Amino acid sequence: MAIPYNRRTHKCGELRAAHVGQKVRLAGWVDSYRDHGGMAFIDLRDYTGITQVRFNPEGNAAALELARSLRAEDVIVIEGTVVSRGTNINPRIPTGEIEVIGEALDLLSKAEPPPFEISDRTDASEELRLKHRYLDLRRPVMQRVFRMRHVIAKTIRDYFDANGFVEIETPFLTKSTPEGARDYLVPSRVRQGSFYALPQSPQIFKQLFMVAGFDRYAQIVRCFRDEDLRADRQPEFTQLDMEMSFVQADDVMTMVEGCAKAIFKNALGIDMTTPLPRMTYQEAMDRFGIDRPDTRFGLELQDVTDLVRGVEFAPFKEAAGSGGVIKCIVASGGEALTRKVTDGLTEEIKGIGGVGVPIVKVAAGDAGPTFATGIAKHLEPLAAAICARTGAKPGDTIFFMPGTYDEVCKYLHHVRTRLAEILKLIPENRWDLLWVVDFPLMTYDPDEKRWFSTHHPFTAPMDEDIPLLDTEPNKARSKAYDLVLNGTEMAGGSIRIHQRDVQARVFNLLGISDEEAQLKFSFLLDGLKYGAPPHGGIAFGLDRWVMMLAKMPSLRDVVAFPKTQRAVCLLTGAPTPVAAKQLDELALISKAPPA
RNA sequence: GGGGCCGUAGCUCAAUUGGUUAGAGUACCGGACUGUCAAUCCGGUGGUUGCGGGUUCGAAUCCCGUCGGCCUCGCCA
């Protein structure tokens, strides 16, 4: 008689010494088999863990025969009695004090040998894992990741629900908008020649919810951007998108801090201290060279422009003479900084558009610190002054960078993060969460000779900086805020413009004419006409939160069915060509050669 | 679009740098085995060296092209 697999008494990770003597019924996958002829062990796995099942003639001779034919990933259901393992306990698994004597066994589904071992220590390539993602996801580590993802998503929903937010869905088939990332387009069949765009974010819709009087909105929503992929960028990704009415920036940040605190508590059991530290954009750039500083380690940037401006070293003279800066990073632990390592850093800087990174090593001289190697001969007379300014001590290495402020920030940020890795300065299990505030409203693109929104065009300028829009727009700060965790941007948001005249002035500065603005954003601008409350919000990258908290190296590890770098799904093969009839219905002709 | 790394058995890798029959571990198949913990022991099957072309007496190895995967710059309001 078949074993009723729909009546499991326990999961495979649940049994303990306290269950000894009980009759149990378990189902799952064969993790491994150890066939001793007259006796056989089956490790039975489900998402909760592993239980060892022992088959022997005393339990059931027929079941032993069947058990000896089992192979990895066969799906079975067993009945038996929990017994103590006595002196044979396995301390490596939580159920290791007990085993189940197999008294009945049904094979529910025979498995072909899998293309790779279903285990946390599998050595299969990512390519193979993605092709057979359903097997990859069966691995315990992936089960943990996606269950943590669920916990985070549920925490977010519960938190915002408890705070009076309402979740409302926004369209996926929507309107292509000019600025920002490249849109994914969807052709219209009933209006041939016209296209929908998949949303890059529900930004405008959530603002209209505020106009509509919903007061507080939060949605976990998919967003789409057709740009090149990276380890931390997928073409479709998930955001927690939220918006609040009648608030200032502080109110949004306080609300988000509560959510972040709940996420850390529920996902990792960690109590975060709030309120979180805040840093201005300018301070972040000055000290770390990046608007998302990793504050888990030192190696801060230090300005020595005034000290070295007279030095006979062409790159320094050029930078100092043309309004640029010379900054440096002081690193201790010089033993690891061999010639090979510092030369490697120079190559990396060249690889991202720079020239290199000149260095000196600090030594102890009779009359104070001296410099050696690198550009020491140019700086020797200033050794004492530079060490006094920067705190460099004998044995330290100083990495210099001359250039424009932006160049120095970009390259020294790279040097700083690489040095932290090389010198192993990044503490494990530390979570540095902070706000970066006071972003510039706009940044100038010298190539395109025009202004771009730092955040997005609906971000409000600071009230006291509104007059600067007409005089020095580069100095106008915005009511934007970014949440940064260990050097990664986790969320970004702002207070929005709710006055049409201010919105019009910002559009003008961005080179968007009234006519163009009306054409592209009329649905927002019209909305703002009819009584828009002051409002603001934020968006979290949910995938990135999971990736960080689960300590996974790639976003692909926290998305169930991710795309490769060329935006292909290795499981389904998408994207694929379509039938000529489908293109006909959409009035489309493909210029690409047949695949 | 640019730079870099990689592709050999189902899987992970090796092959003395151009040399004659492409190996190992694991998986799989067969056998032995009543206390294993990724069981062990014995035996066996398994190859379009990503694909196409070229150089050569001879190519996994060198050259050209192409396909695929990864990292990265540009790009990502």
Side-chain angles (χ1 to χ4, degrees):
Chain A
M1 198 166 72
I3 303 171
Y5 53 77
N6 58 332
R7 295 284 187 271
R8 286 175 286 174
T9 61
H10 297 82
K11 300 288 177 9
C12 296
E14 290 177 352
L15 297 174
R16 297 291 185 274
H19 296 91
V20 166
Q22 289 189 22
K23 294 275 185 191
V24 296
R25 187 178 302 121
L26 301 175
W29 286 260
V30 173
D31 192 67
S32 67
Y33 65 95
R34 293 178 291 280
D35 179 3
H36 288 239
M39 177 169 80
F41 298 97
I42 297 295
D43 285 348
L44 190 59
R45 166 180 21 90
D46 65 18
Y47 70 95
T48 65
I50 286 176
T51 297
Q52 173 168 290
V53 185
R54 170 158 58 111
F55 292 92
N56 60 21
E58 295 76 38
N60 180 330
L64 170 63
E65 277 316 297
L66 180 54
R68 293 187 62 205
S69 74
L70 294 175
R71 293 295 178 269
E73 306 313 317
D74 287 344
V75 179
I76 61 173
V77 58
I78 65 104
E79 286 177 342
T81 305
V82 181
V83 299
S84 168
R85 288 214 207 173
T87 56
N88 294 313
I89 65 166
N90 181 355
R92 294 173 58 191
I93 56 175
T95 60
E97 285 185 64
I98 57 91
E99 64 188 344
V100 176
I101 303 291
E103 288 149 9
L105 164 65
D106 278 351
L107 175 61
L108 302 177
S109 186
K110 183 69 187 169
E112 286 186 18
F116 55 90
E117 185 186 357
I118 310 304
S119 146
D120 285 357
R121 62 173 180 282
T122 191
D123 52 7
S125 67
E126 186 177 18
E127 192 175 354
L128 191 73
R129 289 168 43 209
L130 290 181
K131 191 172 174 182
H132 304 275
R133 187 61 154 175
Y134 41 88
L135 295 179
D136 190 37
L137 294 175
R138 200 134 91 194
R139 299 162 57 226
V141 62
M142 300 304 276
Q143 290 279 320
R144 282 195 294 278
V145 165
F146 284 92
R147 284 165 203 281
M148 179 186 283
R149 185 174 178 127
H150 166 79
V151 166
I152 292 172
K154 177 162 165 39
T155 299
I156 289 170
R157 281 217 170 85
D158 289 348
Y159 177 83
F160 285 110
D161 175 64
N163 281 282
F165 287 74
V166 56
E167 180 156 14
I168 316 172
E169 290 149 287
T170 48
F172 276 11
L173 297 177
T174 183
K175 181 174 175 171
S176 182
T177 49
E179 299 205 37
R182 189 178 295 112
D183 284 322
Y184 274 100
L185 297 178
V186 179
S188 166
R189 176 180 56 83
V190 292
R191 240 173 86 180
Q192 297 186 338
S194 286
F195 295 81
Y196 303 96
L198 303 180
Q200 296 178 28
S201 85
Q203 179 61 35
I204 292 176
F205 291 111
K206 71 175 174 179
Q207 291 190 240
L208 295 176
F209 285 148
M210 298 303 100
V211 173
F214 282 102
D215 203 282
R216 292 181 171 192
Y217 144 93
Q219 182 189 192
I220 291 179
V221 63
R222 197 68 57 86
C223 302
F224 306 86
R225 296 179 188 175
D226 186 4
E227 296 292 348
D228 285 354
L229 285 76
R230 289 285 189 285
D232 62 350
R233 266 171 26 200
Q234 282 278 303
E236 54 179 308
F237 58 98
T238 306
Q239 286 192 343
L240 173 276
D241 194 50
M242 77 89 133
E243 196 78 5
M244 308 168 73
S245 291
F246 306 108
V247 290
Q248 294 285 7
D250 271 348
D251 304 302
V252 179
M253 287 190 270
T254 301
M255 184 63 67
V256 170
E257 286 177 0
C259 184
K261 196 179 170 82
I263 290 172
F264 270 95
K265 184 67 180 174
N266 292 351
L268 297 176
I270 290 173
D271 289 304
M272 294 293 284
T273 303
T274 52
L276 299 172
R278 296 184 189 186
M279 188 183 294
T280 66
Y281 169 87
Q282 193 58 54
E283 183 182 351
M285 296 303 289
D286 285 345
R287 291 174 57 193
F288 303 98
I290 188 83
D291 60 0
R292 42 179 176 83
D294 190 340
T295 55
R296 289 175 298 171
F297 54 92
L299 301 177
E300 292 189 21
L301 281 56
Q302 306 198 62
D303 195 331
V304 292
T305 313
D306 56 313
L307 290 179
V308 303
R309 65 165 53 251
V311 161
E312 284 299 323
F313 178 54
F316 282 17
K317 282 186 80 168
E318 198 177 308
S322 60
V325 295
I326 299 106
K327 301 182 89 169
C328 67
I329 291 175
V330 176
S332 301
E335 314 81 53
L337 299 174
T338 59
R339 181 65 190 264
K340 187 178 174 185
V341 169
T342 55
D343 283 356
L345 276 174
T346 280
E347 284 309 307
E348 288 178 30
I349 296 301
K350 285 179 183 168
I352 60 174
V355 176
V357 52
I359 66 162
V360 298
K361 296 208 171 193
V362 183
D366 295 337
T370 61
F371 285 167
T373 73
I375 59 169
K377 65 175 178 182
H378 300 293
L379 298 179
E380 186 56 49
L382 297 168
I386 290 173
C387 287
R389 164 76 59 87
T390 62
K393 304 176 302 296
D396 290 353
T397 305
I398 308 180
F399 296 78
F400 291 94
M401 188 62 64
T404 65
Y405 184 83
D406 289 348
E407 288 168 346
V408 169
C409 284
K410 177 182 174 185
Y411 302 135
L412 276 189
H413 165 253
H414 182 89
V415 170
R416 178 174 180 266
T417 49
R418 290 289 293 126
L419 282 176
E421 292 166 13
I422 292 164
L423 299 172
K424 299 185 170 37
L425 297 178
I426 304 175
E428 291 280 319
N429 299 318
R430 181 162 158 182
W431 305 96
D432 274 13
L433 195 59
L434 62 100
W435 289 105
V436 176
V437 298
D438 296 4
F439 282 83
L441 184 67
M442 290 180 272
T443 44
Y444 190 72
D445 183 331
D447 293 333
E448 295 204 25
K449 294 195 170 66
R450 69 183 194 89
W451 295 94
F452 280 88
S453 294
T454 306
H455 188 52
H456 61 56
F458 317 113
T459 300
M462 293 217 170
D463 300 332
E464 63 268 35
D465 289 358
I466 288 179
L468 292 172
L469 294 181
D470 298 322
T471 55
E472 299 173 286
N474 58 311
K475 289 190 178 165
R477 293 162 303 163
S478 71
K479 294 181 180 174
Y481 30 81
D482 276 3
L483 187 62
V484 174
L485 174 61
N486 293 351
T488 298
E489 183 188 330
M490 305 302 287
S494 63
I495 300 299
R496 327 299 182 186
I497 299 168
H498 68 281
Q499 302 123 310
R500 289 189 74 220
D501 60 316
V502 177
Q503 184 69 71
R505 286 167 73 184
V506 170
F507 277 154
N508 280 340
L509 280 167
L510 295 173
I512 302 173
S513 67
D514 293 351
E515 196 179 33
E516 197 181 354
Q518 196 59 32
L519 200 65
K520 287 164 176 163
F521 300 116
S522 60
F523 51 103
L524 174 65
L525 299 178
D526 287 349
L528 294 178
K529 281 194 287 198
Y530 298 112
H535 62 285
I538 200 165
F540 292 29
L542 179 66
D543 317 87
R544 232 171 242 188
W545 272 90
V546 182
M547 174 175 147
M548 292 291 287
L549 298 202
K551 295 188 173 182
M552 301 304 280
S554 163
L555 218 52
R556 293 184 297 276
D557 293 320
V558 302
V559 173
F561 299 104
K563 307 283 190 287
T564 67
Q565 194 162 58
R566 293 186 63 247
V568 168
C569 171
L570 292 179
L571 181 82
T572 63
T576 57
V578 295
K581 181 164 181 285
Q582 289 175 285
L583 292 179
D584 274 350
E585 287 178 335
L586 298 165
L588 293 180
I589 297 169
S590 173
K591 289 170 72 176

